Amino acid sequence: MSPQSGRCTPHETPAHGSSTDRHEESAAPRRLFDAMQAAPTLGVLGGMGPAATAHFMKQLAASVEASTDQGHPRTVLLSDPSIPDRTQAILRGTYEPLSPIRNGLLTLCGWGADLLAVPCNSAHYFIDLVSDTIPAKIIDIVEVTLSKASATNPEGAWLAATDGTVLGRMYQRRAAMMDYRLILPPGDLQKVIQETVYAVKGNNLETSSTLIEEVARKLWTLEDIAIVQGCTEIPIAYDMSGLPPCRSVSSVDALASACVNELQAFSCTSENPQSLPANEKRSEPDTQIAEQNL
């Protein structure tokens, strides 16, 4: 600092930075905040089950082409393992999971979610009943999984899903609409598939991998076609078994990829909100829907 003027000379550095430096430093967080505000938010309703949710989050990260943290989508996760068993409710013909699933989705919307994903196939049996009451788009795990299956295995596939998902016929109906050949396993193998799912939920991963390998090899003896993993626990067991990835279609991977694609599309359209169709513009949750109607 020049003792005569009390100002910095060209060769000196201010102790606390110049006004220009301070302006640039204060503007950086503002630019970051503006970018965060513009980016769409993915809401994930998980806990059905916890291991499947963790696997989905891992696959979501793997589906993004990013070299930094900032290149990944902003995500809010509500993991609620207290939601009643979806398969058991479907088998009984009751609706205990319906209200907590809907409430969870509305909570995520309240947290700012622009797009919703639920990494549980059987949960979509109940989601289909209330999807029109949710003010954000919900990615249909059944639709995106079968779309991937038809693209990669046009000859058809086996369905490996819970008893509830099979009884709920979500996959069968969608496959029929797509004119896609989807085959249900024999009853004895379906029982083993259900055991596989609960083995994963119980953290008995070695048992689950043994069970799914038994199922897969017997199915391939009957007909050598791919297996649609229509339950988000099954990819965990399948991956541990060492079975060839190319012989299956994971609903977890399909959902993760669809989320990334939808978020990218949302980013483009959100720059021009007027280009969005009226039914895709963000609205507040309809709190007037009576719970007794659920």
Side-chain angles (χ1 to χ4, degrees):
M1 179 177 290
S2 171
Q4 291 82 9
S5 65
R7 298 176 181 175
C8 297
T9 65
H11 300 290
E12 291 177 317
T13 301
H16 300 291
S18 67
S19 60
T20 301
D21 293 335
R22 289 194 296 271
H23 175 73
E24 290 179 352
E25 289 173 0
S26 63
R30 178 73 255 177
R31 290 194 297 269
L32 178 60
F33 179 78
D34 290 342
M36 290 175 64
Q37 290 297 97
T41 298
L42 174 66
V44 179
L45 180 59
M48 302 176 281
T53 300
H55 184 58
F56 167 75
M57 295 301 294
K58 177 182 177 182
Q59 296 307 106
L60 178 66
S63 298
V64 178
E65 294 183 1
S67 57
T68 64
D69 294 348
Q70 292 74 27
H72 288 266
R74 181 170 52 188
T75 305
V76 289
L77 167 65
L78 173 56
S79 183
D80 185 4
S82 71
I83 296 174
D85 190 297
R86 284 67 56 199
T87 285
Q88 293 303 314
I90 295 171
L91 295 179
R92 290 193 303 265
T94 57
Y95 295 89
E96 295 91 346
L98 185 59
S99 182
I101 286 174
R102 177 177 177 270
N103 290 340
L105 294 171
L106 289 176
T107 295
L108 289 167
C109 291
W111 289 352
D114 302 291
L115 182 70
L116 298 168
V118 183
C120 173
N121 286 267
S122 56
H124 282 257
Y125 176 86
F126 302 98
I127 291 171
D128 288 346
L129 301 175
V130 295
S131 59
D132 60 349
T133 73
I134 307 300
K137 179 175 180 179
I138 306 168
I139 297 182
D140 187 333
I141 192 172
V142 175
E143 179 181 359
V144 299
T145 301
L146 284 178
S147 293
K148 182 178 179 180
S150 64
T152 57
N153 300 274
E155 69 279 5
W158 292 102
L159 175 64
T162 64
D163 293 346
T165 295
V166 172
L167 183 62
R169 297 186 57 80
M170 295 97 75
Y171 271 92
Q172 297 95 307
R173 284 196 299 269
R174 178 66 66 174
M177 292 171 59
M178 297 171 58
D179 195 26
Y180 185 68
R181 181 170 173 259
L182 190 66
I183 309 175
L184 299 182
D188 58 333
L189 293 183
Q190 177 59 41
K191 181 180 179 181
V192 180
I193 291 170
Q194 186 63 56
E195 291 174 0
T196 301
V197 172
Y198 283 127
V200 174
K201 290 180 180 292
N203 204 32
N204 297 315
L205 300 185
E206 290 188 9
T207 298
S208 73
S209 66
T210 300
L211 292 173
I212 199 62
E213 182 175 7
E214 173 190 345
V215 169
R217 297 201 181 281
K218 288 183 177 179
L219 289 178
W220 291 331
T221 299
L222 296 173
E223 185 167 354
D224 190 8
I225 53 177
I227 298 173
V228 166
Q229 300 173 359
C231 171
T232 51
E233 270 83 17
I234 291 177
I236 298 173
Y238 191 96
D239 291 350
M240 280 200 63
S241 71
L243 292 167
C246 61
R247 305 285 296 279
S248 69
V249 178
S250 166
S251 57
V252 173
D253 291 354
L255 181 62
S257 296
C259 286
V260 173
N261 293 336
E262 288 281 350
L263 288 168
Q264 290 173 342
F266 193 100
S267 296
C268 294
T269 55
S270 63
E271 294 176 0
N272 180 18
Q274 297 304 317
S275 67
L276 285 172
N279 62 349
E280 290 190 14
K281 292 183 180 179
R282 186 81 178 274
S283 61
E284 293 300 317
D286 182 359
T287 57
Q288 302 301 315
I289 299 172
E291 288 293 332
Q292 59 265 28
N293 291 335
L294 299 180

